[in-house]
Amino acid sequence: MPRPTQAIIDLEALRFNYGLARDRAVPGQAMAVVKADGYGHGIARVAQALASDAPCYAVACLEEALAIRKAGLAHPIVLLEGVHAEKDMSVCLEQSLEPVLHSDMQLSWLRGIATPPVVWLKLNTGMNRLGFEPRDLPALMARLDQQEVRVRGLMTHFACADDLADPFTQVQTAVLEKAAEAFPGLLLSVGNSAAHFRPEQPLFHWSRPGIMLYGATPMLDASGPELGLKPVMSLVSELISVRTLEPGMTVGYGATWQAEIPTPMGIVAIGYGDGYPRHAGTGTPAVVNGTRVRLIGRVSMDMLAVDLSSVPDAQPGDPVELWGGQLGIDEVAASAGTIAYDLLTGVTPRVPRVYVN
Ligand SMILES: *Cc1c(COP(=O)(O)O)cnc(C)c1O
């Protein structure tokens, strides 16, 4: 018998969420962001599931793009961080990958290439992480034109799009629009998932939905389901042991939680070695037999403890959901002091991904 810990991945929900992004991107299109192993869902299966809906994928790096090619998909792929070595520019050309250039070093790698790949340019509009300054764009475009490099478009990334009350997104959008005025032939791409949920936010030619495809929220003040998204991953396991803790007994490392009254307690076969967050403290929700319970004590590498007071008849072998269709991942992330992005991309290879629909 295999260990009962699994990530069940609902590909129909993934397609549904992509459809929502696509509808919001109209009149533009939505490139499906499948970096970080499809946000932990398995890049090959995610890309295949979206193949007839999404016209283009976006990934962080070349290795991820090659995983999509290996899965037999010929769609255009945008490399959001460009490439990390000169020789990879020719791989981009051979494999029809479109690197997003953000630095002079990457530009210099185009110089020696007979036929360069089609590229995007990353503009820094306020994230101040990567990208060229808007004032340098005219000179940059002239230089690329001279080198016969075809520029597909301009890309920028928002710093605060998750917060509807924060006006910085409008500022960044205006900076990009102004820089783009002189180059009407270039496509524009600004929208991460959060931008799809901002009223009045233009998404221009290509939006770049990531987290929303997987059903988790990109916003500060709403959960995925509240935004109309369907959860894609359900992280499940089983109770492997049940016992009653008498008053004064503690559970787990550090003996951090102590029973005050007789407390039925279950041990679940999942821990931080599976990517379940160790920072999820006492009180973090889970679901046993369809009923909500709370974690107690510290999460171990291979197991964690739950208070079964709300399901006193629970038995070893009973199903446990750590997040998914019955318990929103956004709520678990908040309990662990993090965001769903972190939880989803953190599920380790030990957890088998099981695909449904
Ligand atoms: C990861 C990433 C996205 C997707 O962001 P989400 O918040 O997951 O939608 C979009 N654009 C760029 C440049 C990214 O790196």
Side-chain angles (χ1 to χ4, degrees), residues 33 35 39 80 122 129 155-157 191-194 208-212 218 341:
V33 182
K35 62 189 177 182
Y39 287 53
L80 296 169
K122 180 139 188 168
R129 208 169 51 171
M155 189 173 283
T156 200
H157 198 52
N192 53 0
S193 294
R208 307 188 304 270
I211 195 72
M212 68 179 291
Y341 297 74

Side-chain angles (χ1 to χ4, degrees), residues 237-245 251 257 259 261-269 282-297 304-322:
S237 185
E238 286 179 3
L239 292 177
I240 54 169
S241 169
V242 167
R243 73 176 66 220
T244 297
L245 297 175
V251 63
W257 187 86
I261 54 172
T263 306
M265 189 259 321
I267 296 297
V268 186
T282 292
T284 301
V287 172
V288 174
N289 287 339
T291 299
R292 277 173 83 109
V293 300
R294 59 172 187 146
L295 266 63
I296 49 178
L304 54 79
V306 291
D307 175 352
L308 294 175
S309 300
S310 57
V311 258
D313 54 353
Q315 295 297 319
D318 284 355
V320 182
E321 182 179 296
L322 288 309

Side-chain angles (χ1 to χ4, degrees), residues 138-217:
L140 199 58
M141 288 297 291
R143 179 172 154 194
L144 288 168
D145 189 49
Q146 215 173 29
Q147 294 179 25
E148 294 180 13
V149 177
R150 201 169 134 217
V151 181
R152 176 89 68 207
L154 301 177
M155 189 173 283
T156 200
H157 198 52
F158 292 140
C160 305
D162 57 340
D163 184 354
L164 287 180
D166 192 314
F168 197 41
T169 304
Q170 286 99 294
V171 174
Q172 289 192 264
T173 304
V175 171
L176 180 82
E177 283 188 289
K178 183 153 184 300
E181 259 169 22
F183 307 97
L186 295 181
L187 302 181
L188 302 184
S189 175
V190 300
N192 53 0
S193 294
H196 294 73
F197 297 100
R198 297 182 68 89
E200 314 291 317
Q201 173 61 44
L203 293 171
F204 302 107
H205 305 95
W206 282 99
S207 74
R208 307 188 304 270
I211 195 72
M212 68 179 291
L213 303 182
Y214 310 97
T217 188

Side-chain angles (χ1 to χ4, degrees), residues 50-70:
L50 294 174
S52 47
D53 298 304
C56 175
Y57 303 110
V59 295
C61 60
L62 184 64
E63 290 80 353
E64 294 172 336
L66 296 179
I68 295 176
R69 290 287 176 259
K70 206 172 155 210

